[in-house]
Amino acid sequence: MAPTLYNRFSGMISGKEGVKAPFLSSLSAAALSIAFTALYVLPFYLSPTTRPSLILSRDAPSVIRARIRFVIISTFISTVITSYILSTCADESLPSTMHALGIYPIHPITVGKSVLLTALLFAGPLFEKAIIESGWRRWIKGKDIHETLSSWIGWRNFVAGPITEEVLFRSVIISLHTHTRPLLPVTTLIFLTPLYFGIAHIHHFYEFTLTHPYTPLLPALVRSLIQLAYTTVFGWYASFVFVRTGSLWAVVLIHSLCNWMGLPRIWGRVGGVEVQGGVVGGPTRGKEDVNAARYHGRQRLGIVWTMAYYFVLITGAIAWWETVWPLTESQNALAELRFRKGG
């Protein structure tokens, strides 16, 4: 495999003559990451157009439109500043800067393999949606895509959110941490940097208590802690894929897919009762903008369908484990990370 950016920086630090070492300290990278995270979140509460209240939900179209404008601006500013740091202070060329940010080169096969890998994790839910709920009929006609993207909630959950969040929390923040001196271990890149992503979702606790004043504090806190947990776990996975593939576009599509799928059902029978809990940032089974009446009156299915669902779910999880390394192999990797099986 071709030398990665991370390996090249290791050569710089090891004393190779005539080569300037990366200039950022770990503290500087962390400070910039915190500042960019604050720039992303704080504008939500500085303007009456984006600040939720008892009479104004975060799902109101006016709030969503205003927030999308703010996050586009803040993400653009963070990307420009980071690009300047990498290209000027760290003496990176434009192609190397685009590579470090995961923007270029674009390899559709790499992106496709990453999405396929993630789909294996959701083999059970995909089976439930496509076969048990007969969703495949709507998919081939494009009805779900049309309905979803016809609303501002859909644009936020599947387009604006995944793009801006992955640009900031993967492209910008990880690229800063790959240019630190001394170099951070690769595992630190994968498991530490997603904490910014998880912390950035804590503000949902404030929003929930504001819009649900009669909900006891403890259940609201537990809800937010669960959300912090699964946003952090998703961040670990997205960071792993980003570091292994060097592709921003792969993690953007993975993010959208996870938002759509929500947490896989891990208990109960399929058909009838909806499962609560989301993967990346919402409290519902999937961040779907669908008409709830579609499921009204749905009858419980036979136990065979439930058995089939869990068989597909477990099989998909095993397939994911067996293919996670080969499907994320890429010549554009940002760091060398290998798995050695025992024996």
Side-chain angles (χ1 to χ4, degrees), residues 9 12-13 19-24 89-90 179 181:
F9 292 146
M12 293 178 181
I13 292 177
V19 181
K20 182 180 178 181
F23 86 105
L24 276 178
C89 301
H179 286 71
R181 184 180 59 207

Side-chain angles (χ1 to χ4, degrees), residues 8 38 90 118 143 147 156 174 225-226 231 236 319 329 331 333:
R8 185 153 56 86
T118 307
K143 287 186 177 181
E147 289 181 5
R156 178 193 63 192
I174 287 183
L225 290 176
I226 292 174
T231 51
W236 292 340
E329 185 76 21
Q331 63 181 1

